[in-house]
Amino acid sequence: MDIKSAAPSNVKGRENNNTPTSEANASTQNKANNTSSAVNSSAKVSVSQLSRQMMNNSILAAQEEVSISAGDKSMALLYRAAIEAINQELAPTLGDNAIQKGVDSGVDYSPEATADRIVSFATNFFSIHQQQNKSMGLDEQVDSFMLKIGDAIDQGFKEASDILSGLKVLEGDIAAGVDKTYELIQQGLAQFKQDKLAKDESQSVTQAT
């Protein structure tokens, strides 16, 4: 009788003793699963999302430098936003590029100089675009490239203008400078397109003769 009564007691005791261990193991497993899930989630962050985060951080850094009395700082913000947007637009097809984040003191940020630098930076990638779209004719290559660049520049100007508007400085000379810069960029891109197509036409005529 004692043996029979003792046996269930021992089994019950063993079951009770095992319960904390099972709970501990389950807790450890849950933690491991959560960690694995977090890693997997982090790994799924796309390049475009990272690029967007970098761009936002860079623009915010430039925003801190903008003041009502510093027109050049406003143009520096505009330049940075445009360059960042161009990089983001081209990264999926042309790969990550060296983003020109630096805003050096003493740099000329007049509308003319800012527009020249943005156009020069953007059009430098055309040869890579051509290599990746060899099946296209030159007209198609130029048009598709201009569309990408144009959209990126518009996005950069919009973001910079929104920031300047939020700071209540998008008025007077600053607003005029932004508009002038945009106009000069459009002229520069149109000239780039014209030069590319004219050069191709000239080469075609030469080969025909």
Side-chain angles (χ1 to χ4, degrees):
M1 187 68 179
D2 292 337
I3 295 176
K4 290 182 180 179
S5 62
S9 175
N10 290 339
V11 171
K12 185 176 180 180
R14 284 197 298 271
E15 290 175 350
N16 290 337
N17 289 337
N18 287 339
T19 299
T21 302
S22 298
E23 292 177 351
N25 290 338
S27 176
T28 301
Q29 184 62 39
N30 288 337
K31 290 179 180 179
N33 291 338
N34 290 339
T35 301
S36 176
S37 176
V39 171
N40 291 335
S41 176
S42 176
K44 291 179 181 178
V45 175
S46 67
V47 173
S48 63
Q49 287 174 314
L50 291 175
S51 178
R52 167 62 62 179
Q53 183 178 358
M54 291 172 60
M55 185 177 78
N56 289 341
N57 290 341
S58 181
I59 292 175
L60 287 174
Q63 177 183 346
E64 294 175 358
E65 301 172 2
V66 177
S67 67
I68 293 177
S69 61
D72 280 355
K73 291 296 180 71
S74 299
M75 295 303 294
L77 167 64
L78 179 68
Y79 171 75
R80 181 176 297 186
I83 294 301
E84 295 278 4
I86 291 170
N87 271 287
Q88 185 193 22
E89 178 68 30
L90 299 181
T93 54
L94 304 186
D96 294 331
N97 302 299
I99 300 176
Q100 298 182 4
K101 294 181 179 178
V103 181
D104 300 324
S105 59
V107 174
D108 183 2
Y109 281 109
S110 65
E112 293 78 11
T114 302
D116 283 345
R117 282 199 300 275
I118 291 174
V119 171
S120 177
F121 177 82
T123 54
N124 276 342
F125 297 104
F126 179 66
S127 59
I128 301 176
H129 180 76
Q130 278 188 298
Q131 293 173 7
Q132 295 189 345
N133 296 276
K134 293 181 179 179
S135 62
M136 293 182 179
L138 181 62
D139 287 358
E140 290 180 288
Q141 290 174 339
V142 172
D143 287 343
S144 60
F145 184 73
M146 290 293 101
L147 183 61
K148 281 181 176 290
I149 295 302
D151 287 346
I153 289 173
D154 286 348
Q155 179 64 26
F157 267 74
K158 180 183 183 305
E159 293 186 1
S161 296
D162 287 346
I163 291 173
L164 294 173
S165 295
L167 295 173
K168 302 186 185 305
V169 297
L170 190 60
E171 54 190 27
D173 290 342
I174 293 178
V178 170
D179 291 341
K180 183 65 174 178
T181 302
Y182 185 82
E183 178 184 346
L184 291 172
I185 288 173
Q186 299 309 310
Q187 292 177 7
L189 292 177
Q191 187 63 53
F192 172 82
K193 178 178 180 178
Q194 180 180 331
D195 291 345
K196 284 294 179 183
L197 297 179
K199 182 178 179 181
D200 180 66
E201 183 178 348
S202 176
Q203 290 176 342
S204 298
V205 171
T206 301
Q207 291 174 357
T209 57

